[in-house]
Amino acid sequence: MKLTLSVIKADIGSIGGHVVPSHPLLNTVREQVEDHGRSTLIDSYIGSTGDDIAILMTHTHGVGSEEVHRLAWDAFLAGTEVARSQGLYGAGQDLLKDSFSGNVRGMGPAVAEMEVEERTAEPLLFFAADKTDPGAYNLPLYLAFADPMNTPGLLLSSKMADGFRFVIMDVSYTEGDRVIELSAPEELYDIAALLRDPERYVVESIWSRSTGEQAVAVSTSRLHNIAGKYTGKDDPVMLARAQMHFPATGEILAPYEIGHFVAGGMRGSHNMPLMPVELNSTISYFDGPPIVTCAAFAVHEGKLTEPVDVFDHPFWAEVRERVADKAAEMRRQGFFGAAMLPMTELEYTGVTEKLETIEERFRVRGSRD
Ligand code: F6R
Ligand code: MG
Ligand code: MG
């Protein structure tokens, strides 16, 4: 069965700053999708990660379907009304365009989609991250799909022996989608050379080289490229198929044990470690730390089982403690050096303006001529 998996997410308002959407807001989005999606969707799941609401949908209309995108857009519009009526912070903030024009790409919400031939058993992982941007998945994906130190399946399973094809996007390019395809393991160093720069190069999708099937889809939108200025972090979503010709669920999850430093946290302008947390978690310390959730599903004829919260486990509780220590340790150096993002990535213009005002007070002492 040809099945499309679509996840569309947006921040349309939250309680207590950028913390969590309200129950009435979430319920409105859920009801809208259920009521208006009956003839369009096979199934759906709605969840929150920090201040973001994600709508996961299964259907047969293909990637970029106007009907499916409009459904999500209208649900976010209805939710925005509720957010406004409750005085939620940032009501409708990710809906950057006034009217829907066929596809939510380039309109603010993040999208990750893939059309797949459903397998007899279809284990699906749905990731959502808040207070960070799409490059946050670069390292975990590299480790899960290209590094046998993380993924023994690359050695043990003949189904994965041919490796994977990475499609990587240059998200700083705004005239269109500037992408490159690179194959692991042959082009491992080229992949690493790009992925080391997560603010510019972002994994968009990953494909099995033995079957040609798509394993991963990541949202790659950069809000400031759409709005012309920063309007918040891009808070990426990702779909990953597990097992068989793809890495096992545990191999895909294992890299989140690192708590790697990503762009995000306070005012979208700091480097902080990514903390794997339970579904529907809120935001707290230093408007962070950046968080990632993961819901596991079995998909059958497009129907989703109940979500299983894979980071809700004693193992990850220990990881969270360590990541909290890393976050606090980085915060001890305040604005200094690696703690704050480089100029180009700052969400606020205050520092640049300040530097402009003191520029004229510089003087050159002596001359080397
Ligand atoms: C992401 C997020 C942040 C904020 C940033 C600035 O979900 O909430 O990236 O956009 O913290 O927010 P303001 O300026 O509203 O405090
Ligand atoms: Mg936000
Ligand atoms: Mg957010």
Side-chain angles (χ1 to χ4, degrees):
M1 173 189 185
K2 265 246 185 287
L3 180 71
T4 315
L5 306 164
S6 300
V7 55
I8 303 186
K9 80 95 225 174
D11 175 353
I12 51 169
S14 62
I15 301 174
H18 297 280
V19 173
V20 69
S22 67
H23 289 305
L25 170 48
L26 263 171
N27 290 339
T28 302
V29 173
R30 189 171 288 124
E31 282 159 19
Q32 286 284 321
V33 173
E34 277 167 14
D35 290 353
H36 300 285
R38 273 183 231 290
S39 58
T40 311
L41 305 180
I42 302 174
D43 210 348
S44 63
Y45 162 80
I46 282 109
S48 68
T49 299
D51 58 12
D52 298 304
I53 298 179
I55 310 173
L56 171 63
M57 296 167 281
T58 60
H59 56 94
T60 52
H61 304 284
V63 168
S65 152
E66 175 165 356
E67 207 177 329
V68 172
H69 282 228
R70 183 185 293 278
L71 180 68
W73 179 262
D74 287 347
F76 287 137
L77 275 185
T80 298
E81 290 305 310
V82 175
R84 291 211 173 101
S85 74
Q86 290 194 294
L88 300 190
Y89 189 70
Q93 72 156 52
D94 282 359
L95 308 185
L96 301 178
K97 302 280 154 117
D98 292 331
S99 55
F100 181 76
S101 57
N103 189 310
V104 297
R105 267 181 214 280
M107 298 185 72
V111 191
E113 293 184 290
M114 54 177 145
E115 190 174 43
V116 305
E117 192 62 53
E118 190 187 273
R119 298 170 292 172
T120 319
E122 187 60 72
L124 176 70
L125 302 175
F126 159 48
F127 289 85
D130 188 36
K131 304 293 178 277
T132 185
D133 49 28
Y137 295 125
N138 281 6
L139 178 64
L141 288 174
Y142 173 86
L143 293 172
F145 286 83
D147 186 354
M149 292 289 280
N150 176 89
T151 300
L154 294 167
L155 305 179
L156 299 176
S157 165
S158 57
K159 294 187 170 119
M160 289 205 283
D162 292 340
F164 292 90
R165 182 164 58 89
F166 284 65
V167 181
I168 298 170
M169 185 182 287
D170 174 358
V171 291
S172 70
Y173 189 79
T174 51
E175 305 299 311
D177 290 349
R178 187 166 184 261
V179 293
I180 185 170
E181 297 190 8
L182 293 169
S183 292
E186 295 90 325
E187 297 174 301
L188 213 52
Y189 295 171
D190 298 328
I191 294 171
L194 296 179
L195 299 191
R196 63 158 286 281
D197 184 359
E199 306 317 315
R200 174 150 189 199
Y201 299 107
V202 170
V203 177
E204 180 201 55
S205 58
I206 302 178
W207 304 72
S208 159
R209 292 174 70 198
S210 58
T211 66
E213 287 178 291
Q214 186 167 0
V216 169
V218 184
S219 64
T220 51
S221 57
R222 296 227 56 188
L223 292 170
H224 79 302
N225 291 345
I226 301 169
K229 60 181 170 51
Y230 257 114
T231 58
K233 274 276 165 276
D234 305 295
D235 303 340
V237 284
M238 169 166 79
L239 295 170
R241 299 165 76 198
Q243 309 292 148
M244 303 289 286
H245 292 86
F246 306 133
T249 296
E251 290 167 335
I252 297 173
L253 296 181
Y256 295 91
E257 178 269 340
I258 296 169
H260 58 297
F261 285 99
V262 295
M266 178 57 68
R267 299 179 187 276
S269 303
H270 291 81
N271 278 312
M272 295 191 77
L274 185 65
M275 182 182 278
V277 295
E278 292 99 340
L279 297 176
N280 307 310
S281 283
T282 61
I283 290 297
S284 183
Y285 172 68
F286 201 62
D287 274 9
I291 56 172
V292 58
T293 59
C294 179
F297 295 93
V299 189
H300 186 61
E301 293 173 357
K303 282 278 177 198
L304 301 166
T305 57
E306 72 275 22
V308 171
D309 188 347
V310 290
F311 289 140
D312 182 9
H313 185 278
F315 176 83
W316 298 101
E318 185 278 329
V319 169
R320 284 190 276 276
E321 282 189 22
R322 194 163 38 73
V323 174
D325 288 343
K326 274 178 89 163
E329 188 59 38
M330 181 61 112
R331 287 310 314 134
R332 290 183 63 214
Q333 69 176 63
F335 63 82
F336 193 77
M340 201 181 264
L341 294 181
M343 282 310 190
T344 49
E345 294 298 326
L346 293 179
E347 206 168 293
Y348 286 73
T349 51
V351 175
T352 330
E353 285 157 20
K354 192 174 294 303
L355 290 179
E356 275 165 18
T357 62
I358 57 175
E359 181 63 23
E360 63 195 34
R361 292 177 53 193
F362 275 93
R363 62 195 171 88
V364 178
R365 206 167 43 200
S367 166
R368 294 210 174 81
D369 298 341

